[in-house]
Amino acid sequence: MLDFSDVAGQDSVKEHLRTALRSGRISHAYMLIGEKGLGKQTLADAFAKMLFCEKDSLHPCGSCHACRQVEALTHPDLIHLRHEKPNSIGVDDVREQLAAEVAIRPFSGRKRVFVVPEAEKMTVQAQNALLKTIEEPPEYAVIFLLTKSEEALLETIRSRCVKLKLRPVAERELAAALLRRGDISRERVLLAARFARGIPGLAEQMAVSEEFQKRCEETLELLLHLPQANAVFVNEAAEKLQALYPELRELLEFLRMYYRDLLCAKQDHSGENLIFAGYETRLLRAAKELSFPTAGRILDEINRMEDRLRANVNPELALELLLQEIRQGGRKGK
């Protein structure tokens, strides 16, 4: 059932929208700002459901005709702007789906809600067409601009919107939301929550993705073998990791998690609270062979690799230097 509870975190945004409903002071234009996967679309649609519910606006019933229409995305007063070009929203898209539609009064309620996903993709001409509507909106129109970058929009548009910023969700809250689904194992949930950077949509995608799980397993196997490996294995590992991580910065985040686990295992010797559940025994063994100074050097090398990537150093060379440090570090003893 489409509801604010479907979105993890974002309490301040939810409360702002609820207060607007309670007071009746609903803005004609909202800008929801945040990374993809934080729940912008769900919040906009859930707000529309609250507006349209025939029984209770603050607690939509989910069973009335209006609620069912919103959940099926067939409500005539809820319009989502679509665009054929994947990287551009053109002026005709705005004119035909928003500017023309906004002149039509609500079919069944007091308001009409217009949702513009990926609003940062609007061309300047499209934004100017939208501006005319935002400057003189009919009293029944509510426009939601969903964007990951408010700077991509004209200041004249930004200044006429109530701006609500969505924040990354705390790891614990993210994991709790995934566990409530009931169909994902705790191990998968915890791993996904750690890697999702606070983005619920990404965490859910990772938790159910066999590809993500396989990539984690293959990376762990390579790292656990690396300290005892020869130079040939290092070269092969570099090739495999580049294939697994086209964006090498994702690998660096994985490495930081890996060495966080080793240091945690080295300190408490229990294997509890490790990110990589199921590898406790092998991680404890690897932790015994790793000294604290060596771990520090490797983490410094991870940071240096990140700097090299920013400086456009050859990624293959940067990765090879890092893997050599990891291999040599495992041979330096405790």
Side-chain angles (χ1 to χ4, degrees):
M1 187 172 80
L2 186 64
D3 191 80
F4 276 1
S5 62
D6 293 330
V7 177
Q10 316 311 332
D11 291 344
S12 62
V13 175
K14 294 173 185 176
E15 186 54 32
H16 182 103
L17 294 173
R18 287 194 187 101
T19 300
L21 276 169
R22 289 192 199 100
S23 65
R25 297 176 180 175
I26 299 169
S27 175
H28 67 281
Y30 292 94
M31 185 180 296
L32 300 186
I33 306 160
E35 290 292 323
K36 180 180 180 182
L38 285 175
K40 301 189 295 293
Q41 180 84 59
T42 302
L43 285 172
D45 289 343
F47 186 75
K49 184 179 178 183
M50 295 164 84
L51 276 174
F52 300 152
C53 180
E54 298 162 10
K55 297 182 180 179
D56 186 343
S57 61
L58 288 176
H59 305 92
C61 66
S63 59
C64 70
H65 184 59
C67 281
R68 294 199 304 272
Q69 281 185 312
V70 172
E71 291 180 6
L73 299 181
T74 59
H75 198 290
D77 292 325
L78 175 58
I79 295 93
H80 295 87
L81 191 142
R82 314 291 183 188
H83 54 102
E84 292 185 5
K85 295 180 180 179
N87 297 314
S88 176
I89 300 175
V91 64
D92 289 340
D93 295 321
V94 171
R95 284 174 177 165
E96 294 170 8
Q97 300 178 57
L98 202 156
E101 282 286 335
V102 83
I104 302 173
R105 296 192 64 82
F107 286 91
S108 58
R110 296 177 296 107
K111 297 286 187 180
R112 297 198 85 197
V113 177
F114 298 84
V115 182
V116 184
E118 300 179 307
E120 70 277 0
K121 293 184 177 180
M122 285 190 292
T123 65
V124 173
Q125 293 84 355
Q127 292 187 51
N128 282 323
L130 173 65
L131 182 60
K132 294 178 181 178
T133 299
I134 291 182
E135 284 177 330
E136 298 179 4
E139 50 84 22
Y140 52 78
V142 181
I143 300 171
F144 278 92
L145 303 181
L146 317 182
T147 182
K148 63 181 181 181
S149 173
E150 62 173 300
E151 289 76 16
L153 298 171
L154 298 173
E155 172 58 30
T156 47
I157 288 180
R158 303 204 306 263
S159 64
R160 288 169 171 78
C161 296
V162 173
K163 291 186 282 188
L164 302 174
K165 294 187 178 181
L166 280 67
R167 309 291 183 183
V169 179
E171 185 181 310
R172 182 177 298 179
E173 191 171 357
L174 199 56
L178 285 173
L179 286 171
R180 282 195 294 270
R181 283 184 39 149
D183 60 344
I184 309 174
S185 71
R186 179 178 175 81
E187 291 76 13
R188 283 194 170 207
V189 163
L190 295 179
L191 185 61
R194 283 291 170 93
F195 279 92
R197 306 189 310 279
I199 302 175
L202 182 58
E204 183 174 6
Q205 179 183 336
M206 288 177 168
V208 300
S209 169
E210 295 300 330
E211 182 180 347
F212 172 73
Q213 300 298 322
K214 183 179 179 182
R215 184 173 73 169
C216 288
E217 292 169 6
E218 291 182 8
T219 305
L220 280 170
E221 291 294 338
L222 288 171
L223 293 174
L224 287 165
H225 282 94
L226 199 56
Q228 294 79 36
N230 56 31
V232 174
F233 182 88
V234 172
N235 292 334
E236 292 175 350
E239 291 179 5
K240 289 180 181 178
L241 290 171
Q242 281 191 294
L244 289 171
Y245 298 89
E247 176 51 68
L248 283 176
R249 288 184 179 85
E250 294 180 10
L251 171 61
L252 300 185
E253 288 305 309
F254 189 103
L255 289 169
R256 290 187 178 104
M257 297 289 184
Y258 175 75
Y259 281 99
R260 176 266 181 204
D261 261 13
L262 290 188
L263 290 173
C264 184
K266 194 169 185 64
Q267 287 176 318
D268 64 23
H269 309 290
S270 68
E272 295 180 2
N273 302 315
L274 298 184
I275 298 170
F276 300 107
Y279 283 79
E280 291 88 350
T281 301
R282 297 176 69 184
L283 288 170
L284 283 166
R285 190 182 307 127
K288 290 180 181 179
E289 301 300 321
L290 181 73
S291 69
F292 286 110
T294 298
R297 284 195 297 272
I298 292 173
L299 289 169
D300 286 342
E301 189 62 32
I302 291 170
N303 293 332
R304 279 192 289 272
M305 178 173 172
E306 194 164 42
D307 292 338
R308 291 179 184 123
L309 292 175
R310 288 197 196 99
N312 294 319
V313 171
N314 185 303
E316 294 180 8
L317 175 61
L319 180 57
E320 185 178 338
L321 290 171
L322 175 58
L323 295 184
Q324 288 291 356
E325 180 64 37
I326 293 173
R327 174 176 172 259
Q328 292 168 8
R331 294 167 174 260
K332 291 175 182 175
K334 294 178 277 187

